[in-house]
Amino acid sequence: MKPRTLLDKLWDVHEIMQRADGTSLLWVDRHLVHEGSHHAFAKLKERGMPVAQPHLTFGVVDHYAPTRPGDVAPDIRRMIKTLGDNARAAGIKLFDLHDPEQGIVHVIGPEQGLTLPGLLINCGDSHTSTHGAFGALAFGVGATEVAHILATQTIWQKRPKTMRVRFDGMLSAGVTAKDMALHWIAGLGADGARGHAIEYAGAAVDALSMEGRLTLCNLSIEGGARLGMIAPDDVTFAYIKGRPFAPKGAAWDAAVADWRALVTDEGAQFDREVVFNAGDIAPTLTWGTTPEEALSITGSIPDPESMPGGKAAHARASLEYMGLSAGTPLDGVPVDQVFIGSCTNGRIEDLRMAAKVLAGRKAKVPGLVSPGSASVKRQAEEEGLAQVFIDAGLEWADAGCSMCVGMNGDHVESGKRCASSTNRNFKGRQGRGARTHLMSPAMVAAAAVHGHLADVRPMLEGRI
């Protein structure tokens, strides 16, 4: 047998059949649904069809989850109730607002041990690629595909091309997985990995914690990739062991033995390979309205006239929307507020890093910190991180998608500029007219203290 990539191994073991056009029918091991799944459940109800494998589907309240006290809007209440009704009717395990393990679907999946190496995981959310950090085949699907999975526990997909993104060397102090992701997306473009499944590799990737790997895979979709993945190793296994849904006893030993084979074979060929030097990466953030419009905090906003046609037009529109001018240094751009959270950067490691920056300091602008899960919230409170945020003047909220997408009432007002640890800076993403700069949680904390975009590295000296 010729050498195979990690994607080849995962795809082959899940393929049930292949059509003449090359499209494969794949078995789905985990199906994660949230409030947006109501269309799919309605379609099954119209046809009188049951959920095929309810024990393999898990419901999560996250996009509309209220994170702050106060009245809940009727449409939000209705979306949450509909998910609950559908889950209970189908016999699906539901992590609702009252569940002690509630949180963002891409945070609690790994936390609960639902995300395991070798699984095929689908969710009606583009950032499902997050779960690929465990060596899983994980990608987002549309409403029609959600219905198909509910009805059959399978999905039709065309095998993507393979792409290896390698980070040689090691990251400098204060540089994170978020910076790695924005760096490669800025370098290759928002379509740089279109049609490909990315496998991340290299010394810098091997050195990342599971939280860092989750962040890196989470942002794969922002560079056009279908999915992102990292081969499982001892770091992966140590994270999974003892989780509620993880294998136990002899089953654990057998599982780890199988998982160790989930690596790209020596000599396997990728359709494309790209190499970055991790030591060249600095804290990176966006200046425009796509994740590819990003650069180092030490840089200045580029001149659209120096770009090729299509990119120039987009850059001009981005600068107009963002209220910025070419040549402006990023360090020093004022912000109106900050946000720390999301499925990209709402885990305990993210909060620890932000707290290191904020400890003993005061924020000059208001901000919201929303942990990725109720479990992360409890841990942050036990470790004293929550108090650091509160003492700095930021608001400590409950778990949910919150201000990342603004569906639950948390949003940035029109014309306001937000330093955000989220994954998308599209026009209106955090609210109509909102101006979003994506960056790591540590960089968000630095912006909060300074009241403007700033390099976090001097603030971390002696603290990491």
Side-chain angles (χ1 to χ4, degrees), residues 128-145:
T128 306
S129 58
T130 307
H131 305 264
F134 287 81
L137 184 59
F139 51 91
V141 296
T144 300
E145 292 169 313

Side-chain angles (χ1 to χ4, degrees), residues 174-224:
V175 181
T176 70
K178 183 66 162 285
D179 303 305
M180 293 169 71
L182 291 175
H183 181 82
W184 86 252
I185 294 168
L188 302 184
D191 289 328
R194 182 166 298 281
H196 290 76
I198 294 176
E199 181 178 342
Y200 295 101
V205 174
D206 294 342
L208 290 175
S209 65
M210 281 313 303
E211 287 90 346
R213 297 178 187 189
L214 287 159
T215 296
L216 187 58
C217 288
N218 174 278
L219 286 156
S220 302
I221 193 74
E222 307 307 335

Side-chain angles (χ1 to χ4, degrees), residues 52-409:
Q53 302 283 345
H55 66 290
L56 299 181
T57 298
F58 298 83
V60 180
V61 175
D62 59 2
H63 279 59
Y64 288 86
T67 59
R68 296 190 273 187
D71 293 334
V72 178
D75 58 332
I76 293 175
R77 191 180 298 113
R78 182 177 65 254
M79 290 292 288
I80 294 173
K81 180 180 184 301
T82 300
L83 174 62
D85 292 344
N86 287 329
R88 284 185 286 272
I92 290 169
K93 164 67 178 174
L94 174 67
F95 294 91
D96 64 15
L97 291 179
H98 306 294
D99 193 296
E101 306 305 330
Q102 175 266 339
I104 305 173
V105 64
H106 306 314
V107 174
I108 70 170
E111 270 183 358
Q112 294 301 306
L114 291 169
T115 305
L116 298 172
L119 299 187
L120 194 160
I121 302 172
N122 289 140
C123 177
D125 184 275
S126 58
H127 293 103
T128 306
S129 58
T130 307
H131 305 264
F134 287 81
L137 184 59
F139 51 91
V141 296
T144 300
E145 292 169 313
V146 170
H148 191 279
I149 297 169
L150 288 173
T152 69
Q153 204 57 36
T154 64
I155 186 170
W156 289 101
Q157 284 286 297
K158 278 209 166 183
R159 187 188 300 230
K161 294 180 180 179
T162 57
M163 178 176 179
R164 180 156 57 190
V165 176
R166 199 171 78 238
F167 289 90
D168 290 342
M170 300 302 291
L171 297 174
S172 301
V175 181
T176 70
K178 183 66 162 285
D179 303 305
M180 293 169 71
L182 291 175
H183 181 82
W184 86 252
I185 294 168
L188 302 184
D191 289 328
R194 182 166 298 281
H196 290 76
I198 294 176
E199 181 178 342
Y200 295 101
V205 174
D206 294 342
L208 290 175
S209 65
M210 281 313 303
E211 287 90 346
R213 297 178 187 189
L214 287 159
T215 296
L216 187 58
C217 288
N218 174 278
L219 286 156
S220 302
I221 193 74
E222 307 307 335
R226 187 70 181 98
L227 56 97
M229 61 177 68
I230 297 170
D233 59 12
D234 287 337
V235 173
T236 318
F237 310 147
Y239 180 96
I240 297 170
K241 191 171 185 178
R243 302 271 172 187
F245 287 87
K248 305 289 192 298
W252 169 258
D253 295 332
V256 171
D258 286 342
W259 294 341
R260 289 194 185 281
L262 296 176
V263 295
T264 291
D265 295 332
E266 188 73 30
Q269 297 296 306
F270 288 83
D271 294 300
R272 187 180 180 193
E273 294 206 50
V274 182
V275 180
F276 295 95
N277 185 341
D280 293 340
I281 303 173
T284 304
L285 67 164
T286 59
W287 53 266
T289 58
T290 76
E292 80 167 90
E293 292 177 331
L295 72 161
S296 163
I297 183 61
T298 59
S300 298
I301 296 171
D303 185 351
E305 304 314 314
S306 66
M307 303 177 182
K311 290 188 181 293
H314 192 282
R316 282 192 291 269
S318 291
L319 292 181
E320 182 178 358
Y321 179 84
M322 294 295 289
L324 297 171
S325 302
T328 302
L330 273 181
D331 195 333
V333 172
V335 298
D336 299 295
Q337 62 193 92
V338 301
F339 175 70
I340 297 173
S342 82
C343 65
T344 310
N345 282 126
R347 297 176 181 83
I348 192 65
E349 179 182 276
D350 301 310
L351 301 187
R352 287 172 181 155
M353 195 70 168
K356 283 180 181 178
V357 179
L358 289 166
R361 294 168 171 150
K362 294 289 186 182
K364 290 184 177 178
V365 294
L368 182 69
V369 182
S370 176
S373 71
S375 177
V376 170
K377 184 179 185 186
R378 288 192 299 272
Q379 188 172 353
E381 290 171 347
E382 290 167 1
E383 294 183 13
L385 308 181
Q387 196 59 51
V388 171
F389 298 130
I390 293 168
D391 290 346
L394 303 183
E395 186 176 355
W396 178 243
D398 288 332
C401 291
S402 186
M403 205 175 286
C404 175
V405 69
M407 289 181 175
N408 72 336

Side-chain angles (χ1 to χ4, degrees), residues 30-54:
R30 293 279 189 274
H31 188 203
L32 310 173
V33 296
H34 46 57
E35 301 96 318
S37 62
H38 60 93
H39 295 295
F41 280 103
K43 188 169 290 188
L44 262 65
K45 188 174 182 180
E46 287 171 9
R47 300 180 181 181
M49 300 177 70
V51 173
Q53 302 283 345

